[in-house]
Amino acid sequence: MSPVPAHIQDLGAYVAASPSSYHAAAEAGRRLAERGFVQLEERDAWQGGAGDYFVIRDGAIVAWSVPSNAGPTTAFHILGAHTDSPSFKLKPKPTTGRYGWLQAGVEVYGGPLLNSWLDRELALAGRLTLLDGREHLVATGPLLRFPQLAIHLDRAVNEGLALDKQRQMNPVWGQGDPAEADLLGLLAARAGVDPREVGGFDVVVADTQEPRVFGADGEFFASGRLDNLSSVHAGLTALIGTATGTARSSDGPIAVLAAFDHEEVGSASRSGASGPLLEDMLRRISLGLGAGEEEQLRALASSFCVSADAGHAVHPNYAERHDPVNLPVLNGGPLLKINANQRYTTDAPGAAYWAGLCRMADVPYQEFVSNNAVPCGSTIGPLTATRLGIRTIDVGTPLLSMHSARELCGVSDPDYLATVTSAFFRGVQ
């Protein structure tokens, strides 16, 4: 096998450190702070001007780099992504069970491939909020499992597995009497806090298997949460390189990474793309550069957003589910996602810009369009374009097994996306 590329090693480390959206935002912030970015608090007054900054709002993070010659009408180049992934979320009163088993009450989050979560060692991860408002991140390591029914007890299972989300998706985490057990108390102990002081929690289930490179020549990369931490990591890598590199023009655009939460459930939250998070940040950056309302609108009119979210590679066993002509493959470069009904925002000027950008960065790309008979998903792209009026295109890393507990991409594609994003952040034309 070929040596494992450094970018894919680092992506694996980022995914492993990010079992929940809150961990993903915190890990991104930690990496940014290590490279000199300053964390700002939304309640504080901000001092405007050039510099590198980030804000964390719940499970979302917005980070930006303002060049030295930025002014009131300087454009923004924004890479939009999301930190959350399909999973299961702990319900209130999560300790359940019967017949001597301890189980966890969970609610389906987004649209996971349910069967892919069976017979895996799983963790709980997220945040605990204390009665005084302080928050603590928690991650358990292997703790739970959705055990599958043996084939001897369901001889027709291979003819079609149908899972009831309420009755059959209740993971086991121990043995004992549920009346005497306390899953929330276990989480509090892992976080080092008094369980009596926990006033609320946002905790999800995460796969614990380590990311892995495999294939005849090490060409494949398997991991949980590639949708969409692969895009967050690409943007994070590119932004750090842009802010700390020497090739950036001092009068280039303001480079912005906007990694939202709750995309998998519609984005309608204070930290989601339908909320005001990005608009708030852009307005405050412009105000810090001396912009009035007129200058802010001019800056937005000159700005550009790349909505980066994982997309579909052609599946060799289900080729009929894809468009018969546009058939993207792993390691063929990032996708340019196109939809006539605006489920993706890419239009002709945006497509031309992306083509030129990839040419300048020496990065291949592939076009993706859905089969007319298969419903098309959507992204934060249409939401961002609608809220802000910024020219937006949709791109992403091609995957197989999207929304599985363990997804699959090519080892080259995440690095391709990071490379072209670096050119985009620098304002390369």
Side-chain angles (χ1 to χ4, degrees):
M1 290 175 60
S2 300
V4 178
H7 182 90
I8 216 73
Q9 289 183 1
D10 195 58
L11 172 58
Y14 179 67
V15 171
S18 305
S20 76
S21 60
Y22 307 101
H23 288 83
E27 175 65 10
R30 185 193 68 78
R31 291 179 173 217
L32 289 164
E34 278 189 347
R35 302 303 293 267
F37 282 71
V38 176
Q39 183 172 3
L40 301 177
E41 298 295 333
E42 293 187 70
R43 296 179 180 179
D44 296 341
W46 294 0
Q47 182 176 356
D52 305 321
Y53 306 96
F54 68 95
V55 165
I56 294 177
R57 181 188 288 185
D58 299 328
I61 183 168
V62 179
W64 62 93
S65 179
V66 181
S68 58
N69 289 350
T73 60
T74 298
F76 299 95
H77 277 199
I78 305 159
L79 190 287
H82 65 89
T83 57
D84 63 320
S85 299
S87 182
F88 305 83
K89 186 176 181 181
L90 276 192
K91 291 181 175 180
K93 300 181 180 63
T95 305
T96 67
R98 54 183 178 170
Y99 309 122
W101 293 97
L102 297 179
Q103 294 176 275
V106 295
E107 186 177 7
V108 176
Y109 180 90
L113 280 171
L114 297 179
N115 66 296
S116 72
W117 290 81
L118 302 178
D119 299 336
R120 289 179 173 275
E121 290 66 56
L122 306 168
L124 289 176
R127 65 177 176 180
L128 307 178
T129 303
L130 305 189
L131 294 174
D132 62 8
R134 289 179 297 156
E135 294 186 357
H136 292 263
L137 296 184
V138 62
T140 65
L143 177 67
L144 314 98
R145 183 182 176 102
F146 293 100
Q148 190 165 190
L149 185 65
I151 192 170
H152 312 80
L153 304 178
D154 183 5
R155 296 291 183 177
V157 64
N158 288 326
E159 298 172 15
L161 176 63
L163 295 168
D164 184 284
K165 296 177 182 178
Q166 180 62 37
R167 293 188 299 110
Q168 294 162 341
M169 301 309 293
N170 294 288
V172 299
W173 61 276
Q175 292 180 298
D177 184 350
E180 299 175 356
D182 184 6
L183 182 54
L184 186 56
L186 183 152
L187 290 174
R190 297 289 176 93
V193 301
D194 185 342
R196 295 169 297 182
E197 295 300 310
V198 176
F201 54 91
D202 293 301
V203 176
V204 297
V205 176
D207 183 32
T208 61
Q209 187 176 356
E210 292 185 0
R212 181 68 58 86
V213 171
F214 71 105
D217 197 32
E219 62 266 59
F220 301 135
F221 181 65
S223 174
R225 304 182 292 285
L226 291 177
D227 177 15
N228 187 36
L229 294 185
S230 60
S231 297
V232 177
H233 180 261
L236 182 64
T237 302
L239 184 64
I240 290 173
T242 298
T244 59
T246 59
R248 187 183 185 198
S249 169
S250 61
D251 58 357
I254 300 169
V256 181
L257 167 64
F260 302 98
D261 201 354
H262 300 133
E263 191 273 346
E264 297 293 353
V265 293
S267 297
S269 71
R270 69 188 298 267
S271 54
S274 285
L277 175 59
L278 180 57
E279 186 175 4
D280 288 350
M281 298 302 104
L282 299 185
R283 180 182 297 125
R284 294 187 73 169
I285 295 168
S286 290
L287 289 172
L289 294 170
E293 184 176 1
E294 172 74 14
E295 290 81 10
Q296 292 178 48
L297 293 173
R298 289 174 61 192
L300 291 179
S302 302
S303 298
F304 203 102
C305 177
V306 173
S307 166
D309 199 350
H312 302 290
V314 60
H315 195 303
N317 299 332
Y318 300 91
E320 71 280 0
R321 300 297 182 98
H322 299 266
D323 180 79
V325 175
N326 296 280
L327 299 167
V329 297
L330 299 187
N331 294 312
L335 306 179
L336 177 64
K337 299 155 78 172
I338 299 166
N339 181 258
N341 296 305
Q342 287 296 289
R343 302 290 288 172
Y344 306 132
T345 55
T346 305
D347 60 8
Y353 176 82
W354 179 253
L357 193 65
C358 288
R359 179 182 296 177
M360 291 292 295
D362 195 25
V363 167
Y365 75 94
Q366 310 173 83
E367 290 157 329
F368 171 83
V369 64
S370 292
N371 184 307
N372 285 336
V374 178
C376 179
S378 192
T379 68
I380 65 161
L383 304 176
T384 303
T386 300
R387 279 198 66 92
L388 299 176
I390 294 176
R391 173 88 64 194
T392 305
I393 59 172
D394 274 288
V395 306
T397 302
L399 302 183
L400 289 185
S401 308
M402 186 186 293
H403 287 201
S404 170
R406 193 164 177 85
E407 297 164 324
L408 168 65
C409 74
V411 295
S412 299
D413 292 321
D415 190 37
Y416 283 144
L417 181 58
T419 299
V420 71
T421 301
S422 294
F424 171 63
F425 279 162
R426 295 195 308 271
V428 172
Q429 300 294 328

